[in-house]
Amino acid sequence: PEKHAFDTVKGSDYLGDQDAIEILANEAPGDIYQLEHWGCVFSRNEEGSLAQRPFGAAGSPRTVYSADITGHVLIHVLYEQLMKRQEQGPLEVYEEFFAWRLVVEDGRCVGVVCWDLVHGGLKLVTGKSVVLATGGMGRIYRATTNAYACNGDGMAMALHAGLPLKDMEFMQFHPTTLFPSGVLITEGCRGEGGFLINKDGERFMARYAPNALELASRDVVSRSETTEIEAGRGVNGSVLLDLRHLGAERITTRLPGSRELAMTFAGVDPIYDPIPVRPGAHYHMGGVATDNRGATELPGLYAAGEVACVSVHGANRLGGNSLMETITFGRRAGQAAAEHALVSTNGRPASGASALADAERDLKTLLDRSEGERPWKIRDELGASMLENFGVFRYPDRMESQLDIVQGLRERYRRVVVEHKGDVFNTDLTQALELG
């Protein structure tokens, strides 16, 4: 744990919260065992114990993995646990609900205003504790590894409720996203021994990080790649990830998902050809400021995962630490929220009536508008300009110009039009709300 904590502190450029980092390093192994007891099938080494692979900036191979689809496996296991508990007791699951606004009454968070995607209409979900777990905001960039749902919704909800956000300037660019789609090619490829080469076939990381090479911290590798591309040593605006020397057997057993992605989205089989990759927006270190138990400044509101900022990652996250932070601090936030709900008897029951009325009024204004600009055009301009002006390298003049661009886009958003007025799966509406 001490070594893990030190690597994390160093990787954060000494801006991470060291108490929180210590908690993560000490409690993570226990969470790994719990996941395994729940049925998470981790890869094994020859002796049959948990296999571990090196990830960027780690002092030793410590990342437990499931082939190269670890996140996918974790999500299935956690969903199974949710279903099991739903069958056992009074647990309501509201699927296909789009969370829009927090409900604050008497200085405490008492619920969420949601849009029901399946049936249409605004719904009020109240509770003595609310946990935000809405992920990051990579979609504000055109090239990102993030899912379409990662729009920073939870951060915006907290900000509108008057809460502080922390470390918002730190966006991590993952060095290996597939060109041109931006799909993530896992760091496990480099952990297994993959090389990064330029158009001349040179293993260029030897110039920038002669000791760590491809497993330097992600910010270093991303900057090195960008430097190579801008110097004209790239291939069509990307560099190449070479796995050919690993051999077919190792690629098909340890990196099957990455091979499938490369073949599907780039038409390249990594057994025979290198994969074109470039840096893409991947992980947002910033988020809703919380303490070590996920609590925010607003009583009753908690946050965990990428939406939150306990500041475990500081200015740069280590490979493997985000899934681990989500599990460890997700558990801590869940426990703290449950304890708060159990002892919370103060005040009158939440009504949420005024919050719901305000939301309905704003929604009606949006849906009644019949002329204006479609949301996608503004969104595309936001993504392209953010990549240009707030990318891997930051320059004062470009950042200043981006502030003006965002202000202009915000003005245009006030006249945005939702063409689809229906109730059922109105993604036109939810995309307009997300853009806001």
Side-chain angles (χ1 to χ4, degrees):
E2 199 170 313
K3 281 183 180 172
H4 183 191
F6 174 71
D7 285 348
T8 303
V9 171
K10 186 180 174 205
S12 77
D13 284 340
Y14 290 87
L15 291 175
D17 182 305
Q18 298 193 13
D19 294 336
I21 290 170
E22 212 171 331
I23 288 169
L24 177 72
N26 284 321
E27 296 185 5
D31 289 331
I32 296 273
Y33 293 132
Q34 180 173 45
L35 286 167
E36 191 177 38
H37 294 160
W38 278 347
C40 195
V41 185
F42 291 118
S43 295
R44 303 274 163 180
N45 59 22
E46 279 73 30
E47 289 81 55
S49 51
L50 292 173
Q52 291 170 286
R53 63 164 53 128
F55 259 46
S60 59
R62 70 164 62 92
T63 305
V64 174
Y65 59 93
S66 302
D68 57 352
I69 52 167
T70 314
H72 188 73
V73 171
L74 289 179
I75 267 187
H76 279 277
V77 168
L78 292 171
Y79 189 69
E80 283 168 5
Q81 293 300 312
L82 176 66
M83 291 295 97
K84 174 182 167 186
R85 283 157 178 74
Q86 195 182 356
E87 286 166 15
Q88 287 173 347
L91 178 69
E92 290 288 337
V93 177
Y94 299 94
E95 293 198 355
E96 304 293 0
F97 267 47
F98 174 84
W100 186 25
R101 290 181 177 177
L102 296 174
V103 181
V104 180
E105 285 180 0
D106 302 330
R108 58 197 175 107
C109 187
V110 293
V112 188
V113 175
C114 305
W115 172 262
D116 182 347
L117 279 159
V118 178
H119 305 102
L122 287 174
K123 301 285 165 65
L124 185 67
V125 181
T126 58
K128 290 176 177 174
S129 298
V130 175
V131 184
L132 284 173
T134 55
M137 56 189 305
R139 282 282 152 192
I140 61 170
Y141 288 89
R142 184 173 54 79
T144 178
T145 62
N146 288 190
Y148 279 98
C150 296
N151 302 291
D153 300 22
M155 297 174 206
M157 288 159 72
L159 190 65
H160 290 162
L163 288 166
L165 305 181
K166 186 163 70 169
D167 290 352
M168 294 299 281
E169 68 272 39
F170 301 128
M171 173 62 81
Q172 180 175 84
F173 288 80
H174 198 287
T176 56
T177 76
L178 202 55
F179 180 85
S181 62
V183 172
L184 175 68
I185 298 295
T186 173
E187 194 150 316
C189 291
R190 285 170 290 138
E192 291 294 337
F195 298 157
L196 286 169
I197 57 176
N198 58 21
K199 70 172 187 187
D200 305 321
E202 176 198 6
R203 195 176 170 189
F204 59 83
M205 282 310 298
R207 265 207 304 277
Y208 303 98
N211 295 325
L213 295 166
E214 283 83 7
L215 288 173
S217 66
R218 289 178 177 177
D219 55 334
V220 172
V221 182
S222 289
R223 285 199 295 271
S224 306
E225 288 182 0
T226 306
T227 304
E228 288 292 305
I229 292 164
E230 289 182 354
R233 292 189 289 272
V235 181
N236 294 332
S238 63
V239 293
L240 300 171
L241 175 63
D242 193 356
L243 307 177
R244 292 174 294 186
H245 56 284
L246 300 179
E249 188 188 346
R250 193 161 172 191
I251 291 171
T252 49
T253 54
R254 299 206 186 174
L255 303 165
S258 300
R259 179 180 180 225
E260 191 180 330
L261 288 172
M263 290 167 72
T264 305
F265 293 102
V268 170
D269 186 343
I271 292 173
Y272 306 108
D273 296 295
I275 308 168
V277 294
R278 64 174 175 193
H282 178 59
Y283 185 89
H284 194 217
M285 269 70 72
V288 184
T290 70
D291 66 11
N292 291 338
R293 301 191 73 216
T296 69
E297 288 183 10
L298 180 63
L301 182 66
Y302 299 79
E306 199 175 341
V307 69
C309 183
V310 198
S311 210
V312 169
H313 310 301
N316 175 62
R317 173 172 76 74
L318 258 57
N321 268 2
S322 76
L323 290 182
M324 204 61 255
E325 182 219 11
T326 298
I327 298 286
T328 299
F329 285 95
R331 170 180 53 75
R332 291 174 70 90
Q335 283 176 341
E339 286 163 15
H340 175 269
L342 286 170
V343 301
S344 178
T345 52
N346 57 328
R348 53 191 168 78
S351 81
S354 66
L356 190 61
D358 289 347
E360 282 174 340
R361 188 188 62 241
D362 293 347
L363 194 70
K364 187 176 186 308
T365 305
L366 179 62
L367 287 171
D368 283 352
R369 197 177 298 132
S370 56
E371 287 182 1
E373 198 171 0
R374 292 288 304 280
W376 67 266
K377 195 162 186 293
I378 300 174
R379 185 174 176 141
D380 281 1
E381 286 182 39
L382 175 69
S385 59
M386 282 296 291
L387 204 59
E388 179 70 25
N389 299 321
F390 269 82
V392 175
F393 290 109
R394 305 274 170 94
Y395 305 98
D397 55 332
R398 287 196 197 174
M399 291 195 287
E400 289 285 355
S401 71
Q402 183 64 17
L403 294 180
D404 294 336
I405 290 169
V406 169
Q407 195 53 47
L409 294 175
R410 194 174 279 152
E411 290 296 324
R412 283 163 58 189
Y413 177 73
R414 294 196 177 111
R415 297 182 297 281
V416 83
V417 66
V418 175
E419 283 193 353
H420 178 32
K421 310 293 185 188
D423 282 345
V424 179
F425 272 100
N426 189 344
T427 52
D428 205 17
L429 172 64
T430 52
Q431 282 173 9
L433 297 177
E434 285 170 341
L435 177 64

